[in-house]
Amino acid sequence: MKWPFHIAAFIEDRILQASSGMEGFDDAFTPDVRPADARFGEFQANGVLPMAKRQKKNPRDLATRLVEAMEDKSGFSGDDLAMNVAGPGFINFRFMPGFYHEWLDNIRTHSDLQTACRGAITDKVVVVDFSSPNTAKQMHVGHIRSSVIGEALCRMLEFQGARTIRDNHIGDWGTQFGILLMAIHHFDTRLDVENDEALEELEELYRRGSKLTRESEEKLEEARQELVKLQNGDPENLSRWEQINSISQKAFQEIYNLLGIRFDYVLGESFYQDSVENVYTELESLGIAKESEGALVVFHPEHPRFKKQSFMVRKSDGASNYATTDLATILHRIQEWKAEEIIYVTDGRQQDHFEQLFLTARKWLKHHPEINMPKLRHVWFGTILGEDGKAIKTRSGEPIKLKDLLAEAIERARVTVENKNPDLDEKERDEVARHVGLGAVKYADLSQNRTGDYVFSWEKMLSLEGNTAPYLLYAVVRIRSIFRKAGLNPGEGEDAADRVETEEELALARQLLLFASALEQATSDLRPHILCTYLYDLAVTFSSFYNANKVMVDEEPTQARRLLLCARTLTVMETGLHLLGIETLEKM
Ligand code: ARG
């Protein structure tokens, strides 16, 4: 194997070399190398146990012989990786200074790092369904989670070689349109796509319209009729519907631009309206769905809850719903995009919906022999809480608009920056405020285990101490300034580097080598906080190194290896933050 490589893959390769032809190891042997508990080493190979079981051999014996063979034939020496057999027959691997040296010497750039991170998901087609707000309404604070988590997951998957398809499944076909269309008539409203406040006006119109429908049976019926007209393709209603959607999308796009989020497709619920008929027919004829009180529903008798709780795929008035559209969407993603995995990023309240959706889709598509069923995963998240421990709201009890929240983040960051560094010029200050403010909001969200709720706190997220974006951004800035002061570019001045030596250097090198493992775990669990924790640990480890080991010293080899450690830390830090969607800075 040639550098740069994936460390776990490298160890597997060496194990396979050593075990080939060895007595007791068959062709089905897989080393199963994974990150280890830090007390025992950096990696652990677990594959000997099932192998020994198959061959009815003593696993410790096999493992011991394997370690001996590796020492003999695979070029491992005590200087590279220390190995030992543990427990019933695991093999632990611990990095040694020679190995650190190799890694540090070979993994220099963002792209080296990427090569070292490519893994099992290389070339896999992964559809990520994220953000997906409903149109005719503004995005509120809750939408930050799906948007930011979804974007980070896409970047992490792509970095490891997956081919992602980013799809914004907007809710553009709901009952809200009946009310809006009725209200447009009633108040004789003129929609103006160019107006910057157009979405706010639509929201207001919706509020007034739904008040009317609550007060008058007649207006409610009118709203229903408008919806039916829209669904039957009435040209006037369709053109208003299009206007409403472009107003919404324009406002969404401003937020996506600010957050650095992009999509390959925006295929909302309306896109699937012609495919729902097929869903009804197939589910009914396959006996998966049945009529119940006029509606078409699916039960899952094998499931403790869903044997009683139905999954409605057609309403009693004959209309399709969220479930029908989602079923049609899966088929589209398989047929058109050859999806091998589909990831849905939504809040935790939709867990039942997705569980029932996945069960239904699997039963349905099993009958399509040409289809390879993709892996379906629901990446759900908890609620953002206010300081009072309840779902976050404005003072007057309204949902907080995402646009306002982001503007406030930038404003608050500007104040912090002005206090911290009054020497920045106007332009620099704007840039720092934007990166720090938006980074803080994103990082506060990403650094929490997504399945929990978290309390939104400006003070905490903008703090320069602790596991926050400002702290990490500051670590990057500090490394950049070391190079600036030395008159060097990162990566320069390291030719004479000798092997890492001091305790802090070793600790930093070890942490750098663990990047690929942390990323891999974050991606396989689809939990960005694992990457955040890693980066925070890296920043802390760097800081101890920097406090205890002077970089610019007289002995050339020492200075060179410390500059090298600084440059590698910068590469890993910037790469990691970029994967989280956080833009780094030169100064702050
Ligand atoms: N529009 C939905 C909402 O606002 C989210 C859609 C998620 N994606 C999906 N395929 N169901 O809650």
Side-chain angles (χ1 to χ4, degrees):
M1 259 182 156
K2 281 219 327 253
W3 290 96
F5 51 63
H6 191 288
I7 299 176
F10 168 75
I11 297 176
E12 295 211 347
D13 188 63
R14 292 301 164 97
I15 294 179
L16 287 173
Q17 262 181 47
S19 68
S20 104
M22 236 171 88
E23 198 236 312
F25 289 86
D26 60 23
D27 286 347
F29 170 60
T30 40
D32 188 13
V33 174
R34 48 180 88 181
D37 183 322
R39 283 172 300 163
F40 307 121
E42 278 77 36
F43 285 91
Q44 184 171 64
N46 295 345
V48 172
L49 290 171
M51 173 75 247
K53 203 167 173 190
R54 276 202 306 277
Q55 297 274 340
K56 303 206 173 33
K57 292 240 155 55
N58 177 339
R60 272 196 79 95
D61 280 356
L62 282 191
T64 310
R65 281 200 288 121
L66 185 58
V67 166
E68 280 163 13
M70 266 189 283
E71 278 163 355
D72 289 350
K73 32 177 192 181
S74 320
F76 278 160
S77 64
D79 191 34
D80 281 335
L81 285 165
M83 292 174 277
N84 73 295
V85 176
F90 308 117
I91 306 173
N92 290 324
F93 295 85
R94 191 182 284 285
F95 302 148
M96 291 286 132
F99 197 71
Y100 292 149
H101 188 74
E102 286 280 299
W103 193 94
L104 293 169
D105 204 30
N106 286 285
I107 312 282
R108 288 164 182 269
T109 61
H110 178 85
S111 101
D112 294 336
L113 199 55
Q114 177 160 24
T115 311
C117 287
R118 280 189 175 249
I121 55 172
T122 298
D123 288 335
K124 189 168 189 182
V125 179
V126 184
V127 175
V128 186
D129 175 324
F130 72 109
S131 193
S132 310
N134 296 332
T135 59
K137 283 190 206 141
Q138 290 194 71
M139 285 168 89
H140 60 77
V141 59
H143 290 110
I144 187 105
R145 302 217 70 183
S146 177
S147 308
V148 165
I149 295 171
E151 176 67 30
L153 292 177
C154 289
R155 291 180 184 212
M156 286 156 49
L157 288 159
E158 286 154 11
F159 192 73
Q160 291 172 86
R163 284 192 279 158
T164 64
I165 296 178
R166 299 143 167 262
D167 189 8
N168 193 357
H169 190 80
I170 55 175
D172 59 355
W173 199 249
T175 43
Q176 75 261 40
F177 289 100
I179 293 179
L180 268 173
L181 291 165
M182 177 279 289
I184 288 170
H185 277 297
H186 183 89
F187 298 109
D188 198 15
T189 315
R190 201 158 253 132
L191 300 175
D192 178 5
V193 182
E194 296 312 318
N195 176 358
D196 281 341
E197 300 290 300
L199 190 53
E200 280 85 342
E201 285 173 15
L202 273 177
E203 276 189 312
E204 182 52 29
L205 195 62
Y206 179 81
R207 253 192 298 277
R208 289 161 73 195
S210 63
K211 185 156 176 276
L212 283 179
T213 59
R214 280 195 304 274
E215 287 162 357
S216 131
E217 194 57 41
E218 203 179 308
K219 287 288 157 193
L220 184 64
E221 186 47 37
E222 235 178 272
R224 276 199 203 110
Q225 287 313 315
E226 294 296 346
L227 187 65
V228 172
K229 266 167 68 187
L230 171 68
Q231 287 168 343
N232 293 336
D234 172 76
E236 199 184 320
N237 276 6
L238 259 180
S239 106
R240 293 215 165 105
W241 169 80
E242 272 166 15
Q243 276 181 307
I244 295 172
N245 281 326
S246 34
I247 290 171
S248 309
Q249 293 218 35
K250 198 170 145 234
F252 297 162
Q253 195 53 49
E254 279 171 27
I255 291 188
Y256 296 142
N257 290 347
L258 200 57
L259 291 173
I261 290 177
R262 64 167 191 88
F263 292 95
D264 298 307
Y265 296 94
V266 183
L267 296 184
E269 294 173 18
S270 67
F271 178 80
Y272 299 96
Q273 286 320 300
D274 295 336
S275 343
V276 292
E277 207 54 50
N278 172 52
V279 176
Y280 308 141
T281 332
E282 291 203 23
L283 289 184
E284 235 182 329
S285 69
L286 292 167
I288 296 169
K290 59 176 187 220
E291 286 231 3
S292 162
E293 293 166 35
L296 193 61
V297 299
V298 180
F299 288 101
H300 298 286
E302 75 286 7
H303 191 282
R305 251 173 324 121
F306 306 138
K307 65 180 168 205
K308 291 221 180 83
Q309 184 183 324
S310 70
F311 188 54
M312 189 187 289
V313 294
R314 190 178 60 211
K315 298 193 274 187
S316 53
D317 64 4
S320 62
N321 65 5
Y322 192 51
T324 337
T325 317
D326 259 336
L327 285 163
T329 305
I330 293 182
L331 187 60
H332 178 86
R333 289 172 175 165
I334 299 172
Q335 289 181 328
E336 297 301 314
W337 300 337
K338 310 283 174 264
E340 293 169 87
E341 181 166 333
I342 307 176
I343 292 171
Y344 299 84
V345 190
T346 83
D347 70 71
R349 288 169 304 186
Q350 299 195 32
Q351 284 177 80
D352 277 2
H353 167 76
F354 284 104
E355 228 183 298
Q356 288 171 297
L357 173 68
F358 297 171
L359 284 169
T360 310
R362 288 190 193 107
K363 286 181 190 169
W364 169 33
L365 297 175
K366 201 165 69 191
H367 296 277
H368 283 249
E370 77 288 3
I371 280 179
N372 283 327
M373 194 62 197
K375 183 167 176 180
L376 301 171
R377 297 173 82 182
H378 183 209
V379 171
W380 61 272
F381 49 79
T383 311
I384 307 181
L385 306 174
E387 310 262 6
D388 61 357
K390 298 199 192 113
I392 189 166
K393 295 256 160 61
T394 61
R395 273 209 199 94
S396 54
E398 310 266 311
I400 296 178
K401 294 174 181 138
L402 190 47
K403 194 166 121 185
D404 298 346
L405 182 102
L406 297 177
E408 185 170 350
I410 298 173
E411 259 337 289
R412 284 179 182 259
R414 192 189 308 274
V415 177
T416 316
V417 172
E418 275 165 357
N419 293 339
K420 175 97 185 151
N421 189 350
D423 300 335
L424 294 175
D425 66 36
E426 182 77 23
K427 207 174 137 243
E428 285 172 328
R429 210 159 23 192
D430 278 350
E431 181 171 272
V432 176
R434 209 165 54 83
H435 288 212
V436 172
L438 298 175
V441 172
K442 290 181 193 176
Y443 192 83
D445 200 284
L446 293 168
S447 57
Q448 301 292 325
N449 191 348
R450 61 174 164 78
T451 44
D453 298 340
Y454 74 91
V455 176
F456 190 93
S457 155
W458 287 118
E459 209 183 309
K460 227 166 100 187
M461 72 177 75
L462 286 167
S463 165
L464 282 157
E465 316 276 304
N467 189 7
T468 66
Y471 179 75
L472 296 183
L473 289 172
Y474 194 68
V476 167
V477 164
R478 190 150 74 160
I479 302 174
R480 291 212 165 265
S481 90
I482 297 171
F483 284 102
R484 221 178 16 251
K485 285 188 191 135
L488 297 168
N489 287 314
E492 285 176 356
E494 56 184 49
D495 290 344
D498 57 2
R499 288 186 177 190
V500 286
E501 190 178 297
T502 68
E503 189 188 329
E504 295 82 13
E505 289 171 355
L506 286 162
L508 180 57
R510 176 178 182 275
Q511 181 68 11
L512 289 167
L513 265 66
L514 290 176
F515 176 74
S517 301
L519 178 61
E520 200 161 84
Q521 213 204 327
T523 313
S524 68
D525 290 3
L526 300 174
R527 290 185 197 271
H529 81 277
I530 297 173
L531 180 58
C532 297
T533 308
Y534 167 83
L535 292 173
Y536 175 60
D537 289 344
L538 177 62
V540 170
T541 314
F542 178 78
S543 182
S544 323
F545 153 77
Y546 188 64
N547 292 336
N549 297 249
K550 198 166 174 334
V551 175
M552 301 313 283
V553 291
D554 289 338
E555 308 87 80
E556 214 197 327
T558 308
Q559 174 176 308
R561 73 166 189 265
R562 292 186 181 163
L563 282 171
L564 181 149
L565 283 168
C566 289
R568 298 304 175 271
T569 306
L570 185 65
T571 304
V572 171
M573 217 46 200
E574 290 202 313
T575 300
L577 287 168
H578 177 77
L579 294 181
L580 296 170
I582 294 173
E583 292 176 72
T584 54
L585 290 152
E586 186 73 39
K587 284 188 195 171
M588 70 188 256

